[in-house]
Amino acid sequence: MNYASTNSIVSLNNGVDMPILGLGVYLSKEGREVTQAVHWALEAGYRHIDTASIYDNEKGVGKAVLETSIDRKDLFIVSKVWNSDQGFDSTLKAYDESLKRLNLDYLDLYLVHWPVKGKYIETWKALEKLYNEGRVRAIGVSNFMKHHLDNLIENSKIVPMVNQMEYHPKLTQNDLRNHCKNLKIQYEAWSPLMQGKIFANEILKSMALKYNKSIAQLVIRWNIQNNVVTIPKSVNKTRIIENYQVFDFMLSSTDMELINALDENYRVGPDPDNFDF
Ligand code: NAD
């Protein structure tokens, strides 16, 4: 079976293809560190890079995109509008500024980073404008709970293509994931490795041994088999390569269920209903 061809791409609700596995660059340092990480990822086979204006490393990501010999059309570059830039005009401006730092003329996906109260509808309308003008290939949200999604959809025209959420074996939010599925919103995981805290789990340790894979590979594969786009972060070449070696094995349905059952509704990041930034 060719696991790569069956699992490496998801089709968004507007028909755009998105690689199911990408490189996250939160906390990757602007400059040489992030540029090098993106180069290593591209060499390893990644085509999808997830940045945000708040990560303060868009320039370094753009440098690697400029330097690589891979065609721009074969890459999937994502950024996000930060909270202090939300609102209609300020979002349009923020998009132009992100493009400028990235040295690109379009993004494959632009996300509303957090559902800032009283602002995210106007922010979304700006994303709709960018999309309708053909300036971005897909638009989506991040950290939107069910009530945020329902309110957004009621007050706008385009259903988001993606919702990027904290997601790992200890936080699966199945109701939200099903809601997204029903709305044809692709679910995407941030902090899939619990920011490095997933590795102490004994069940995952023994299961990884059984598959002769690392815990990181096991968890990334679990994301993929649950049809969740995932963007593990690393700036370490060996780990970047390791995290992409997940298309040559398959978890049994019993083991998928065992990992699904680790859910504790436990967050490593902020709760979208109680954030103050
Ligand atoms: P993560 O779960 O990807 O964990 C990253 C950490 O895990 C790394 O610092 C590294 O120490 C460790 N690691 C990675 N691969 C490993 C391996 N093979 N073996 C051992 N350790 C390994 O955490 P994250 O960076 O928070 O999340 C991933 C990406 O999600 C971010 O980089 C960012 O792009 C995105 N993100 C988005 C939001 C949002 O609000 N939308 C929030 C947080 C993160």
Side-chain angles (χ1 to χ4, degrees):
M1 186 180 191
N2 183 345
Y3 299 109
S5 63
T6 52
N7 288 312
S8 58
I9 298 284
V10 294
S11 185
L12 302 181
N13 67 26
N14 65 341
V16 164
D17 283 345
M18 177 175 191
I20 199 161
L21 177 54
L23 178 76
V25 298
Y26 175 49
L27 298 181
S28 306
K29 284 196 203 79
E30 176 61 300
R32 192 180 145 81
E33 182 173 277
V34 75
T35 302
Q36 195 159 63
V38 174
H39 273 303
W40 287 331
L42 296 177
E43 284 161 22
Y46 296 70
R47 293 294 177 266
H48 164 189
I49 310 295
D50 183 272
T51 185
S53 62
I54 194 70
Y55 301 168
D56 196 22
N57 57 19
E58 290 176 309
K59 274 190 184 167
V61 170
K63 186 166 186 287
V65 172
L66 183 73
E67 288 169 351
T68 181
S69 57
I70 299 166
D71 268 9
R72 169 68 186 92
K73 67 171 174 34
D74 294 326
L75 300 176
F76 196 95
I77 310 295
V78 184
S79 193
K80 315 182 189 85
V81 53
W82 185 240
N83 300 348
S84 52
D85 288 324
Q86 288 205 28
F88 188 82
D89 291 333
S90 43
T91 294
L92 296 176
K93 188 163 167 257
Y95 185 68
D96 286 337
E97 286 168 354
S98 276
L99 285 184
K100 201 168 164 201
R101 284 189 292 271
L102 283 156
N103 194 28
L104 296 176
D105 51 14
Y106 69 93
L107 287 182
D108 296 277
L109 175 65
Y110 196 45
L111 301 175
V112 180
H113 208 145
W114 288 86
V116 175
K117 259 190 212 143
K119 288 205 169 164
Y120 65 80
I121 303 278
E122 287 309 301
T123 305
W124 184 249
K125 287 185 177 163
L127 265 61
E128 288 184 322
K129 177 178 162 69
L130 292 168
Y131 181 73
N132 287 331
E133 289 175 352
R135 298 194 57 212
V136 59
R137 295 181 67 228
I139 52 176
V141 294
S142 180
N143 301 302
F144 275 49
M145 303 301 275
K146 182 177 184 296
H147 66 96
H148 298 119
L149 288 172
D150 292 347
N151 185 33
L152 185 78
I153 290 167
E154 221 170 276
N155 290 287
S156 61
K157 296 204 171 67
I158 301 178
V159 175
M161 284 126 216
V162 171
N163 189 13
Q164 186 185 107
M165 299 296 296
E166 180 178 339
Y167 177 81
H168 43 68
K170 292 198 178 180
L171 183 74
T172 56
Q173 300 193 96
N174 293 332
D175 287 350
L176 176 64
R177 213 149 51 86
N178 282 330
H179 192 59
C180 287
K181 194 177 174 191
N182 292 336
L183 291 166
K184 298 192 165 48
I185 298 172
Q186 174 64 49
Y187 210 74
E188 176 175 8
W190 61 256
S191 295
L193 305 175
M194 284 179 71
Q195 298 179 346
K197 295 185 192 81
I198 194 71
F199 302 108
N201 185 286
E202 292 303 327
I203 293 176
L204 296 178
K205 267 189 206 167
S206 59
M207 201 186 288
L209 278 176
K210 186 174 93 178
Y211 285 93
N212 200 18
K213 288 282 178 180
S214 67
I215 291 182
Q217 290 169 325
L218 194 75
V219 171
I220 294 165
R221 182 70 208 179
W222 168 79
N223 278 243
I224 292 172
Q225 284 183 222
N226 274 337
N227 199 40
V228 175
V229 171
T230 190
I231 45 173
K233 177 257 180 179
S234 180
V235 292
N236 173 302
K237 186 176 183 179
T238 309
R239 287 174 174 176
I240 289 172
I241 295 170
E242 174 188 326
N243 293 350
Y244 204 75
Q245 304 299 314
V246 293
F247 296 105
D248 56 356
F249 76 114
M250 204 155 186
L251 297 171
S252 69
S253 51
T254 312
D255 289 334
M256 285 296 293
E257 286 312 318
L258 276 174
I259 305 180
N260 289 339
L262 297 177
D263 180 40
E264 293 174 7
N265 203 27
Y266 173 83
R267 294 178 185 281
V268 290
D271 180 344
D273 278 326
N274 291 298
F275 68 98
D276 60 356
F277 48 86

